[in-house]
Amino acid sequence: MRCSYIRLLVNDYEACFRFYSDVLGLPVLWGDENSRYAEFDVHSSTRLAINQREVMAEALETDTADPQLPHQDRLAVIFEVDDVDATAERLVADGARQVMEPRDWTAWGIRAAHFRDPDGYLLEINHPLIPVVDVEVPEVEEPMREVRLPE
């Protein structure tokens, strides 16, 4: 397991986005002021992410509860694993409290399962649905020519 993200579940997404990008000056890796989710480079292999709080509440089906109640999450620690299903099965067998069974979150591009630690903090284990591969693009020595198809 590798801690890949610390995700802050925020109420005022736009203000938080401006704070982390403009005030702290963190480079934005993904998202913008209106996307409701963004990732920032914190010069570490672990990234900082912010997520509109309601988005996570909808995903975990806690969105009908009072947002001021303690069970409305403010933080999620994200671990990337090689096999979400096998890891989830092991965690459950070892006594972890599962909140959401493994499933594909195609809009998020991940397969994930959710758990709570003994104090109730939200933990997510995930793996990309499509593996991200760094591909080197060879340098082109000749300029590309325009090709026109017959009309």
Side-chain angles (χ1 to χ4, degrees):
M1 241 188 268
R2 177 181 73 82
C3 184
S4 55
Y5 292 88
I6 303 296
R7 186 182 303 152
L8 305 177
L9 307 175
V10 300
N11 290 322
D12 190 341
Y13 176 84
E14 294 83 6
C16 288
F17 181 88
R18 287 189 304 272
F19 175 79
Y20 288 103
S21 64
D22 300 342
V23 177
L24 291 185
L26 298 177
V28 178
L29 298 170
W30 194 96
D32 60 34
E33 195 170 325
N34 300 308
S35 60
R36 298 182 358 154
Y37 177 84
E39 298 173 7
F40 300 92
D41 183 356
V42 290
H43 308 290
S44 165
S45 61
T46 301
R47 293 181 178 177
L48 175 67
I50 60 172
N51 204 168
Q52 182 71 40
R53 198 169 177 198
E54 289 83 14
V55 172
M56 200 70 191
E58 289 167 10
L60 297 177
E61 300 171 355
T62 61
D63 55 324
T64 58
D66 182 343
Q68 300 307 314
L69 294 175
H71 64 274
Q72 286 293 349
D73 298 296
R74 298 294 309 225
L75 172 83
V77 180
I78 315 304
F79 294 95
E80 186 175 322
V81 297
D82 291 331
D83 185 329
V84 172
D85 295 88
T87 303
E89 188 176 312
R90 180 184 60 79
L91 291 172
V92 168
D94 289 345
R97 183 168 51 127
Q98 190 170 47
V99 182
M100 186 74 63
E101 293 183 359
R103 68 186 214 191
D104 291 347
W105 300 86
T106 53
W108 298 356
I110 58 172
R111 181 162 184 77
H114 295 86
F115 296 85
R116 297 225 179 260
D117 77 1
D119 250 16
Y121 286 100
L122 181 63
L123 307 175
E124 175 181 292
I125 59 170
N126 72 36
H127 188 80
L129 288 173
I130 301 171
V132 178
V133 179
D134 290 331
V135 178
E136 284 193 38
V137 178
E139 289 188 33
V140 178
E141 294 190 21
E142 291 183 28
M144 296 190 66
R145 294 184 210 151
E146 184 177 325
V147 177
R148 292 185 182 235
L149 298 173
E151 294 182 18

